[in-house]
Amino acid sequence: MSGDPPVVSGEAALHQIQLNGEPRQVAAATILALVEELSLDPRKVAVERNLEIVPKSLHAATPVAEGDRIELVQFVGGG
Amino acid sequence: MTDIAPASETWTVAGRTFSSRLIVGTGKYADYAQNAAAAEAAGAEIVTVAVRRVNLSDPSQPMLVDYVKPDRFTFLPNTAGCFTGEDAVRTLRLAREAGGWSLVKLEVLSNTAHLYPDMVETLRALDLLIKDGFDVMVYCTDDVVMAKRLEDAGAAAIMPAAAPIGSGLGIQNEVNVRLIVEQARVPVLVDAGVGTASDATRAMELGCDAVLMNTAIAGAKDPIRMARAMKHAVLAGRDAYLAGRMPKRLYASPSSPLAGLI
C-alpha cells in the first residue's frame, strides 16, 4: 500500500479495512458511522471487530482503524 | 373454529414457557413474505434463524426481520455452517448481540451427504456454549447413550433427527426416539426428517414435547396449507399421547354387542 491517501477537503481520511472478508476503503471513523455509511439499520445488524463483539451501546465510541477486520451480520432464513 | 387446548397444556424449555409445540424453520421459502405467512399458519411461537454476513452490495435487499418479526416470534438462532465449537460460540455471540437471544440451537453437522451431526464436536461445543451463558437445545443423532450425555452436560433440550435434514423420510427410528423420551428430564423434540403431517403426529405420539421442521413446510406444494396441517397434526398427536391409546390386539374385538341379534 502507498502512504496515507489524500484528505479531500471537508472529509475524513479513508481507512483500508477488511469488511465481511473483502478489502474496502471506508471514511467512517467509528462503528456507528460505518453502519450509517453502508446504509444499514444498526438495530438489525451485529458487529464484530477483530474477533470481538461491539455492542450497540458502544458503536459510537468504538473507532474504525486501519487494518481492522470487521464482520457485519444479520439474521437470515435457516432451519 | 378454535382449537381446544387446555390453557395448562404448555411446555417449558430453559425456563421459558410456550403454548405451541411446533417450531418452524425460516429457510428454503420462496420469499420472506411466504415465510411469515407459513409461520403464522403453523401457529408457531418459535422460529429458527441463521446468522450470515450482510449483503453490502445491496443494502435494500429484504431482511428476514422485516417479515418474520422478532417482536412476534422468539428467534432460535442456529449454528448452521459451524463445524467447530469455536465457530458456534462466535456465531451465537453475534446472534445474542443482534437480538438478545440466549436460547439457541446447536447443530454441528458433518460434511457429508447425510448431514448427520458430528456428536463428538457437538458435545465439545455444548460445553463451550454453556460456559458462555447460553441455553442450548442440541440437534443430535438418535444415539440414546449420547442423548443422556448431552443432558448430563447441561443441554436445555434434546433434539434427535428422525431422518436426514430435508429428506422428508419421516420417523425412521421410533424405538430410539421413545427411549430418549423415556430417559430425558428435559424436553425432547424431533428435529429433521419430518415430511408430512402424519410424521409430526407420530413424533408427538411417541411422547415428544414438540417438533421442529423446515423443509416439510417450505418444500410442500402449498406451504401455507401444510403449515396449517402441521399445526393440527402436532395438536392431534399430543392429545392422542395424553389420552392413552388403546392396546393393540392380535385378533378382532367386536364393537357391536353379540346379544339381542334378531
Side-chain angles (χ1 to χ4, degrees):
Chain A
M1 289 282 114
S2 57
D4 290 344
V7 178
V8 178
S9 63
E11 298 206 5
L14 297 176
H15 330 282
Q16 178 82 7
I17 63 172
Q18 282 284 111
L19 185 56
N20 284 1
E22 301 282 331
R24 192 168 183 129
Q25 296 234 333
V26 298
T30 66
I31 292 292
L32 181 62
L34 177 64
V35 171
E36 286 169 357
E37 184 177 326
L38 297 166
S39 307
L40 298 173
D41 185 335
R43 296 165 304 169
K44 297 178 182 175
V45 300
V47 183
E48 185 196 72
R49 173 178 179 249
N50 299 327
L51 297 177
E52 287 186 9
I53 303 280
V54 183
K56 274 186 260 298
S57 57
L58 296 180
H59 279 194
T62 304
V64 174
E66 184 78 19
D68 274 354
R69 283 163 301 133
I70 294 178
E71 294 283 347
L72 285 167
V73 302
Q74 62 179 338
F75 290 121
V76 300
Chain B
M1 185 177 6
T2 54
D3 295 306
I4 309 300
S8 59
E9 247 297 275
T10 55
W11 67 290
T12 299
V13 57
R16 300 159 175 78
T17 299
F18 299 96
S19 299
S20 168
R21 293 171 180 273
L22 176 55
I23 300 179
V24 299
T26 51
K28 298 180 174 176
Y29 284 93
D31 52 48
Y32 284 141
Q34 186 192 61
N35 195 335
E40 291 290 344
E45 292 169 319
I46 306 170
V47 299
T48 58
V49 297
V51 175
R52 291 288 183 271
R53 285 171 168 167
V54 172
N55 182 342
L56 296 172
S57 56
D58 184 8
S60 66
Q61 212 177 50
M63 295 182 90
L64 173 71
V65 296
D66 292 329
Y67 294 86
V68 182
K69 297 191 175 167
D71 57 357
R72 174 116 183 90
F73 296 95
T74 295
F75 276 19
L76 184 66
N78 70 20
T79 59
C82 299
F83 294 95
T84 68
E86 285 74 18
D87 285 344
V89 170
R90 190 176 166 210
T91 297
L92 292 174
R93 281 180 177 171
L94 282 160
R96 185 166 54 188
E97 164 54 24
W101 310 109
S102 58
L103 178 64
V104 297
K105 168 177 164 173
L106 172 63
E107 51 179 295
V108 183
L109 307 185
S110 59
N111 189 8
T112 58
H114 53 73
L115 290 183
Y116 277 134
D118 177 340
M119 291 317 302
V120 171
E121 193 59 26
T122 297
L123 201 49
R124 203 179 140 262
L126 175 61
D127 283 339
L128 293 173
L129 287 168
I130 287 173
K131 284 189 175 69
D132 216 58
F134 289 101
D135 296 312
V136 190
M137 302 175 72
V138 186
Y139 173 59
C140 57
T141 59
D142 62 2
D143 179 330
V144 185
V145 176
M146 179 57 77
K148 189 82 177 78
R149 274 189 183 265
L150 292 169
E151 185 177 333
D152 290 344
I158 305 297
M159 307 207 294
I165 293 169
S167 69
L169 289 170
I171 319 293
Q172 291 294 318
N173 48 5
E174 294 197 355
V175 173
N176 284 13
V177 170
R178 174 181 58 83
L179 290 171
I180 291 171
V181 166
E182 283 176 7
Q183 80 182 0
R185 280 164 284 112
V186 295
V188 176
L189 291 76
V190 156
D191 176 8
V194 168
T196 189
S198 47
D199 299 331
T201 302
R202 193 69 196 114
M204 297 306 292
E205 286 174 342
L206 289 167
C208 287
D209 295 89
V211 183
L212 202 161
M213 65 180 70
N214 191 139
T215 311
I217 296 175
K221 291 195 179 64
D222 183 344
I224 310 306
R225 194 171 195 119
M226 184 58 87
R228 197 162 63 242
M230 290 299 184
K231 179 173 89 169
H232 294 299
V234 169
L235 287 168
R238 182 63 182 169
D239 266 341
Y241 175 71
L242 292 176
R245 63 153 296 152
M246 60 169 279
K248 293 191 181 183
R249 297 187 172 92
L250 289 177
Y251 302 99
S253 161
S255 298
S256 305
L258 296 172
L261 286 164
I262 57 171

